[in-house]
Amino acid sequence: MITEQEKQYLRELAKQQRELSEDPVMKERERLWYLHNSLQGERPMVVMEEETFLDEIMPPLKCTSEDGKWIEKQILKTLLPERLFQDDKVVTADFKVDVQVELRLFDVPVKKVFASEGAGFHIEPVLEFLEDDMGILKDSVFIYDKEETMRKKAVAEETLGDILQVRLYNSVNHWAFALTEKIVNLMGMENMFCSMKTEEDEFHELMDRLVKEMVRFLRWQEEQGVLFLNNGNDYMGSGSYCFTKELPGKDFAGKVLSRHLWGHLNSQESVGISPEMYHEFIAPYFSRMAEEFGLVYYGCCEPVEMYWDQDISKYPHLRKVSISPWCNEEFMSERLSGGKVIYSRKPSPNFIGVQKEFDEDAFRKYIRHTAELTKDCKTEFIFRDIYTLHGNLDKVKRAVEIVREETDK
């Protein structure tokens, strides 16, 4: 239970969030995001994703109750970016409660063995030879813990509902439709690649079944009422934000369907296969998945240029594509010239995350290269996968400032 002392502290934090949301700077950023996502942007948008180095910037929590710590951490995560580095994230006067939804794909367990240190893991395949093993796949299981969701919503409303608007949202769909990741989780990378060559028909059958299960998951979410409009200050893709007037707005009173939403697709696991194999084994299923959404953000860390002309550029409703550190920027900047699809640049995290000291000259040269290539593109800079700042918090703010300096020319 949240104590009375915790409640008063949390209400003060909520008031700080509400006050910050009313700052004209936030209204201006919101205006710029709407223009940007409609392909009419006035300047590149800059986002610094802090989740991976959050431990270095998060102060010790004052609350001791579990619900208190949950609310405190969420509000602090909203306040800290503006206090520390002033990127283009928008602070709004709301508090989000994540619905407790779970997908158990094909009702089989994913078996991962994690390293003793770090983020590495090994997958123990559930499927090895598709011809022999596909029989273990069942209908997927979808679970919605409505009781816990509504309990948390009630706690948030009782604590700060008169200060911030408490609303439900759904984070499951942020990464749920990375189709090849789900195949790798079942088979392992080597088995997936081998199956494309040795069990072609069975691999197509598996991909077809996967898409059907994911579409069924969307239909189930629609019926359960756990899809929510993500056309405002909502995270989507690998680090971007959803402000748009091209999808239903806040006054929409009907059932929310997947076609009303942004969706995110990526196929990082396709790295290493030829464009011909991507075209045959991957693209048809991602294209079908893209049909389910109103707007689509494609990609994460994978390079996309090999598959762009023949496939990715033709995915339905495509609005943004991730240009990772491994992408051919020259190729993709030429292809995205004219601004019909947003060039969602993911700069290398090495400049900020590897050394304690920040080599501003090298970073500036690196960013300038992208800025010069993308003068005719609609561009955003999304910084991700920075796992440590080595205690030097100032370099994050300087990185944001340098990007703005180099793109404002």
Side-chain angles (χ1 to χ4, degrees):
M1 296 291 291
I2 293 176
T3 67
E4 188 61 30
Q5 184 178 6
E6 287 178 338
K7 181 177 179 179
Q8 294 309 312
Y9 164 63
L10 293 173
R11 288 177 62 80
E12 288 303 314
L13 284 182
K15 290 174 183 177
Q16 292 176 34
Q17 179 178 331
R18 184 173 189 88
E19 181 179 353
L20 185 54
S21 74
E22 295 168 350
D23 190 310
V25 169
M26 298 302 159
K27 303 304 178 186
E28 173 63 7
R29 287 182 195 162
E30 187 173 303
R31 183 188 73 84
L32 290 171
W33 272 110
Y34 277 114
L35 288 173
H36 173 71
N37 287 342
S38 66
L39 305 175
Q40 304 298 317
E42 295 177 1
R43 64 164 176 82
M45 306 302 286
V46 185
V47 174
M48 185 68 65
E49 194 168 283
E50 73 285 339
E51 188 68 34
T52 47
F53 58 83
L54 188 63
D55 289 346
E56 288 187 63
I57 65 174
M58 179 69 70
L61 298 181
K62 296 182 180 180
C63 292
T64 57
S65 68
E66 290 304 311
D67 284 336
K69 288 189 287 187
W70 159 59
I71 294 174
E72 180 185 9
K73 187 173 183 179
Q74 183 164 315
I75 297 178
L76 286 175
K77 285 172 61 176
T78 302
L79 298 174
L80 286 170
E82 188 60 21
R83 291 176 179 175
L84 296 175
F85 45 83
Q86 296 91 53
D87 62 353
D88 285 319
K89 288 197 284 292
V90 178
V91 176
T92 48
D94 57 4
F95 183 88
K96 298 176 182 178
V97 177
D98 198 3
V99 292
Q100 304 296 298
V101 169
E102 180 184 355
L103 162 65
R104 295 179 184 171
L105 184 64
F106 296 126
D107 197 22
V108 296
V110 172
K111 298 180 180 179
K112 293 182 179 180
V113 179
F114 286 86
S116 57
E117 296 182 7
F121 61 86
H122 167 72
I123 293 170
E124 295 186 352
V126 178
L127 304 177
E128 190 166 359
F129 298 103
L130 295 182
E131 185 176 1
D132 298 334
D133 299 337
M134 285 248 276
I136 71 170
L137 301 183
K138 308 171 187 175
D139 288 343
S140 300
V141 175
F142 314 135
I143 300 170
Y144 172 34
D145 189 342
K146 186 174 182 179
E147 181 178 354
E148 175 62 10
T149 299
M150 293 306 165
R151 186 198 71 80
K152 296 185 78 170
K153 183 173 183 284
V155 168
E157 287 176 334
E158 196 280 329
T159 304
L160 44 77
D162 58 330
I163 304 170
L164 301 176
Q165 180 183 359
V166 177
R167 67 182 181 99
L168 297 177
Y169 87 112
N170 185 329
S171 69
V172 172
N173 295 328
H174 289 173
W175 298 94
F177 303 97
L179 302 180
T180 48
E181 179 191 30
K182 293 190 170 346
I183 299 297
V184 168
N185 283 341
L186 292 172
M187 302 186 68
M189 186 80 79
E190 290 185 21
N191 288 335
M192 182 182 78
F193 284 165
C194 289
S195 289
M196 291 181 191
K197 293 299 291 181
T198 62
E199 300 178 290
E200 297 182 12
D201 291 342
E202 288 82 2
F203 190 83
H204 278 295
E205 180 185 348
L206 178 60
M207 290 295 289
D208 180 69
R209 287 183 64 179
L210 173 59
V211 170
K212 288 177 179 176
E213 287 298 276
M214 298 313 297
V215 171
R216 193 167 70 86
F217 183 43
L218 285 172
R219 299 291 89 81
W220 175 83
Q221 290 181 84
E222 291 172 355
E223 291 303 315
Q224 293 293 319
V226 293
L227 292 184
F228 309 97
L229 297 178
N230 62 356
N231 53 15
N233 191 28
D234 300 283
Y235 180 100
M236 183 48 66
S238 47
S240 195
Y241 287 85
C242 293
F243 296 94
T244 182
K245 296 180 181 178
E246 299 175 53
L247 299 173
K250 294 180 180 179
D251 57 349
F252 180 73
K255 179 189 293 186
V256 177
L257 307 176
S258 67
R259 67 171 181 265
H260 300 145
L261 308 178
W262 281 86
H264 174 215
L265 309 174
N266 74 69
S267 186
Q268 299 176 93
E269 300 74 23
S270 296
V271 172
I273 69 173
S274 67
E276 292 74 24
M277 290 186 71
Y278 183 94
H279 179 70
E280 179 180 354
F281 293 103
I282 307 299
Y285 306 101
F286 276 87
S287 184
R288 281 167 53 187
M289 206 71 247
E291 287 278 10
E292 294 295 323
F293 300 100
L295 291 170
V296 170
Y297 182 116
Y298 183 87
C300 189
C301 289
E302 70 270 36
V304 295
E305 64 272 5
M306 289 192 301
Y307 317 123
W308 177 258
D309 286 344
Q310 188 174 20
D311 291 305
I312 297 173
S313 64
K314 300 173 184 176
Y315 287 162
H317 315 303
L318 182 66
R319 180 55 54 88
K320 300 188 181 189
V321 61
S322 177
I323 311 300
S324 77
W326 298 275
C327 269
N328 183 324
E329 283 206 88
E330 286 75 12
F331 180 95
M332 289 307 300
S333 61
E334 180 182 338
R335 290 301 192 272
L336 299 185
S337 177
K340 294 183 180 179
V341 174
I342 291 171
Y343 188 105
S344 186
R345 177 60 171 161
K346 308 293 176 51
S348 170
N350 293 351
F351 293 94
I352 302 173
V354 173
Q355 302 292 334
K356 180 175 182 178
E357 300 305 319
F358 185 31
D359 188 340
E360 292 191 15
D361 291 339
F363 180 76
R364 185 180 294 277
K365 182 179 179 181
Y366 177 77
I367 295 297
R368 184 177 297 162
H369 178 69
T370 298
E372 291 173 348
L373 287 174
T374 58
K375 289 185 183 296
D376 295 325
C377 302
K378 295 301 179 184
T379 309
E380 59 188 27
F381 289 82
I382 312 292
F383 288 84
R384 304 190 73 237
D385 300 322
I386 300 167
Y387 286 93
T388 178
L389 302 176
H390 300 281
N392 183 0
L393 275 58
D394 293 338
K395 58 184 175 180
V396 182
K397 183 176 183 179
R398 279 300 295 145
V400 172
E401 292 171 344
I402 289 171
V403 172
R404 290 200 175 122
E405 290 166 7
E406 291 300 321
T407 56
D408 187 25
K409 294 181 178 179

